[in-house]
């Protein structure tokens, strides 16, 4: 159940971060509200996931998958470039999450 809650927490965080970009510095009400509500939901779900997961594993997955997802959305939605350094950074984030999970961070 912890991983399911964590998955929804990540989804809420990704939606909130994407809405933050659309809020144009919190000058647009709709995206600003989505940002605030999304982060509240995300942190609430993350807190519930931590009841059954170790904090290191949960946070590594939450931040790593969230970061990689937002970077991918930046490419698709906002036309951001993918330099070799950016691709390597995303790869290192994903590798770090995998190593933490394989290394017994549970």
């Amino acid at each position: 159940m912890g991983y399911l809650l964590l998955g929804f927490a990540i989804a809420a965080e990704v939606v909130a971060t994407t809405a933050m970009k659309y809020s144009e510095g919190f000058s647009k009400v709709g995206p600003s509200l989505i940002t605030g509500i999304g982060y509240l939901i995300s942190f609430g779900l993350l807190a519930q996931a931590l009841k059954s997961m170790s904090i290191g594993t949960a946070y590594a997955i939450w931040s790593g998958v969230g970061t990689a997802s937002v970077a991918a959305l930046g490419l698709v939605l906002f036309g951001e470039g993918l330099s070799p350094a950016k691709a390597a950074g995303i790869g290192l984030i994903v590798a770090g999450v995998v190593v933490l999970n394989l290394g017994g961070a549970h």
Side-chain angles (χ1 to χ4, degrees):
M1 185 60 147
Y3 283 98
L4 182 62
L5 291 168
L6 184 60
F8 285 121
I10 292 166
E13 187 266 336
V14 169
V15 168
T17 302
T18 304
M20 189 184 306
K21 174 73 171 172
Y22 285 112
S23 77
E24 296 184 12
F26 297 118
S27 65
K28 292 186 174 181
V29 176
S32 298
L33 288 173
I34 293 169
T35 298
I37 292 167
Y39 277 116
L40 285 173
I41 292 169
S42 181
F43 285 125
L45 291 170
L46 178 60
Q48 294 303 308
L50 289 175
K51 289 181 178 180
S52 63
M53 299 179 70
S54 70
I55 191 169
T57 299
Y59 191 73
I61 294 169
W62 183 77
S63 60
V65 172
T67 300
S69 298
V70 169
L73 285 173
L75 296 170
V76 174
L77 298 177
F78 306 112
E80 297 176 357
L82 182 63
S83 67
K86 191 173 190 177
I90 292 169
L92 287 169
I93 291 167
V94 172
V97 170
V98 170
V99 169
L100 267 174
N101 281 293
L102 293 176
H106 303 300

